[in-house]
Amino acid sequence: MIIREIPWRDPVPAFAPWASDPFAVLFDSAADGDARSRWSYLAVEPFRTILAGPGGVEADGRPVPGDPFAVLEAELARNPVAPGAGPAPWCGGAAGFLGYGLGRHLERLPGRHGDDLGLPDMAVGLYDVVVAFDHRERRCWITSLGGTGKLESVGARLEAAPQAPAEPPSAAGPWRAELTRAEYERRVGRVLDYIRAGDIFQANFTGRFTAGRPADLSAFDLYRRLRSLSPAPFAAHAACGPRLTLASASPERFLKLSADGRVETRPIKGTLPRGATAEEDARNARTLAASAKDRAENLMIVDLMRNDLGRVARTGSVTVPSLCALESFASVHHLVSVVEAQLRPGIGPVGLLRATFPGGSVTGAPKIRAMEIIDELEACRRGPYCGALAWIGFDGAMDSSILIRTLMVTPDRIAAHAGGGIVSDSDPAREYEEMLVKIAPLLRAVDPEWRAE
């Protein structure tokens, strides 16, 4: 590994020279003061790309046999790196998204919705050059697993990047909801019917908004607008081929895996908005922390994640060091739990993904029946939404977010989803209002004048 330290710079303007490249990814720890926001990464110019969709899997545009998980695992195995060789937790490997629909490669699941946006199920690049930013120490490195040529090229583009980008222009609108308020509440009522009938304990029901994308509106400008409205520890701008860019402000870690097999997942369940005043904000935080409904919702998903991790963890190693802790973000308070485990020998990051994907917080319990009901009742395909955005090191380490609070940007359209967990005492009207609270920063990043009706 070649390691070169360079002067500190802000990762967002540093990324600007690659913002329109088809496989450039910025993992942007944008929540100042958050312990999870130490590292940001810039991954550009991959030496291989993997796309998966209804027609199968392609590597560098050529069909390859195997399901998407198997192809990803094989590509990672071609380039092993010893743990701890670099200055940062990630110094090269795979980066990209695994869409919610990849669950159909793991279980027999329905898929009644067409792909109206034309999006892949998975888009991943393999990167031998990564720029790592240490926010705590204010240090920055370029690392290369190959020769110096690409390292020098990336370094030269970084040096030429502006220290601060110009302010993004005003965006466009308006948004169109796939479901009216009345229809959203009616479908939440149908979820409640399934719960009362004993089919499930919880399902994560969501809705989608879409807007046209003007030709002069860049995905990078949209990301910067979203970042300013809703800074998050797992923020990211990810170009996923020529037809899709993800602008994400996710607050939720899906899976963190160390090279020695330690796993952490941090499911979020339970939400209230931030208050307009300090007094209202503190009152909302206390209300959420004491909410029996929200705590029960969180506990169900903790149990689900414990069971999923138990499929690949050492016996007795699954623990819950934190249950229903209150965490506050730019626009909402959440209840967040932490589940930890130690993987069995021989299980790596892709094996862990196979055991747990999609995340329990965006499916429900029991997972498979909840996903069947989601497919029946939601109005459209989720696509990348509720999947995961991840980096996976050639040394076996990984970190990933749940793809919530994310704009999906195509050449001519923009899509945003939000929703919440439905349990037996959910109120459809309140569930609709919670969805609006979550989606508001996304919609305002595109249409600053958007207001809930």
Side-chain angles (χ1 to χ4, degrees):
M1 180 182 294
I2 302 169
I3 303 168
R4 179 172 300 173
E5 186 164 4
I6 61 175
W8 169 259
R9 59 186 59 223
D10 186 318
V12 175
F15 181 72
W18 292 274
S20 60
D21 285 11
F23 275 93
V25 180
L26 172 64
F27 293 100
D28 179 22
S29 296
D32 292 340
D34 190 299
R36 290 154 292 176
S37 292
R38 177 175 178 180
W39 295 97
S40 291
Y41 301 101
L42 189 159
V44 296
E45 302 173 22
F47 64 85
R48 182 158 298 148
T49 59
I50 305 170
L51 289 172
V57 185
E58 295 181 349
D60 293 340
R62 297 186 296 274
V64 293
D67 71 75
F69 293 95
V71 172
L72 176 59
E73 190 167 41
E75 292 292 345
L76 287 165
R78 295 177 193 273
N79 299 276
V81 171
W90 186 52
C91 294
F97 86 87
L98 290 78
Y100 176 85
L102 285 188
R104 286 192 290 275
H105 292 275
L106 305 173
E107 303 286 350
R108 292 176 60 88
L109 294 165
R112 73 182 182 89
H113 300 291
D115 180 15
D116 62 325
L117 296 179
L119 306 182
D121 290 327
M122 181 179 84
V124 171
L126 288 121
Y127 299 86
D128 52 3
V129 173
V130 169
V131 185
F133 304 82
D134 183 344
H135 293 272
R136 188 173 72 188
E137 302 292 335
R138 294 186 67 79
R139 299 177 69 185
C140 184
W141 298 266
I142 309 177
T143 63
S144 173
L145 298 173
T148 60
K150 191 184 291 187
L151 184 148
E152 297 288 353
S153 172
V154 169
R157 292 182 78 177
L158 274 174
E159 190 172 344
Q163 289 297 313
E167 285 297 311
S170 296
W175 288 97
R176 183 183 71 85
E178 299 280 344
L179 298 173
T180 65
R181 176 169 188 150
E183 184 61 17
Y184 189 97
E185 293 181 10
R186 188 189 72 79
R187 297 190 188 199
V188 170
R190 291 286 295 121
V191 177
L192 290 169
D193 290 341
Y194 279 116
I195 292 172
R196 294 178 188 121
D199 282 57
I200 53 171
F201 300 107
Q202 179 179 169
N204 189 71
F205 180 77
T206 73
R208 187 178 77 171
F209 288 64
T210 58
R213 176 187 173 186
D216 60 349
L217 180 60
S218 78
F220 189 47
D221 285 339
L222 277 178
Y223 170 69
R224 289 161 55 212
R225 292 176 62 85
L226 177 61
R227 185 184 193 272
S228 68
L229 291 168
S230 186
F234 300 103
H237 177 284
C240 306
R243 284 195 47 81
L244 172 67
T245 298
L246 303 175
S248 183
S250 176
E252 183 171 358
R253 169 172 280 152
F254 178 32
L255 296 164
K256 180 182 180 182
L257 174 65
S258 64
D260 63 359
R262 290 298 304 172
V263 182
E264 177 190 83
T265 184
R266 301 177 64 93
I268 289 176
K269 277 296 168 198
T271 304
L272 276 180
R274 300 297 301 266
T277 65
E279 293 78 9
E280 182 185 18
D281 193 55
R283 183 169 60 251
N284 284 0
R286 291 193 301 270
T287 299
L288 180 60
S291 168
K293 178 259 185 188
D294 290 289
R295 294 179 70 87
E297 185 180 336
N298 192 293
L299 182 58
M300 290 177 198
I301 303 307
V302 167
D303 284 343
L304 188 157
M305 294 306 300
R306 290 174 61 211
N307 290 336
D308 281 356
L309 289 176
R311 299 165 65 185
V312 289
R314 286 182 174 172
T315 302
S317 72
V318 181
T319 62
V320 184
S322 179
L323 184 64
C324 296
L326 180 76
E327 294 188 8
S328 299
F329 298 89
S331 59
V332 293
H333 299 290
H334 281 311
L335 295 183
V336 184
S337 293
V338 179
V339 186
E340 296 180 344
Q342 177 71 44
L343 291 186
R344 296 197 303 269
I347 303 293
V350 178
L352 174 61
L353 286 166
R354 283 183 178 275
T356 57
F357 193 86
S361 65
V362 290
T363 56
K367 180 185 278 190
I368 304 307
R369 184 64 181 123
M371 293 177 74
E372 292 171 348
I373 292 167
I374 286 167
D375 186 77
E376 174 192 337
L377 294 178
E378 289 188 351
C380 60
R381 193 171 183 261
R382 286 185 171 184
Y385 175 67
C386 289
L389 186 68
W391 61 254
I392 307 175
F394 289 130
D395 62 355
M398 175 173 66
D399 206 353
S400 60
S401 64
I402 295 284
L403 271 174
I404 54 175
R405 321 294 155 78
T406 297
L407 292 168
M408 297 182 290
V409 186
T410 75
D412 58 358
R413 295 175 72 187
I414 306 166
H417 298 243
I422 312 303
V423 293
S424 61
D425 53 352
S426 290
D427 174 73
R430 290 184 179 178
E431 293 298 333
Y432 181 81
E433 290 159 6
E434 178 180 316
M435 180 273 291
L436 290 181
V437 168
K438 292 174 178 176
I439 208 168
L442 300 170
L443 304 190
R444 289 175 184 149
V446 176
D447 178 4
E449 302 303 317
W450 180 86
R451 295 292 182 271
E453 295 179 359

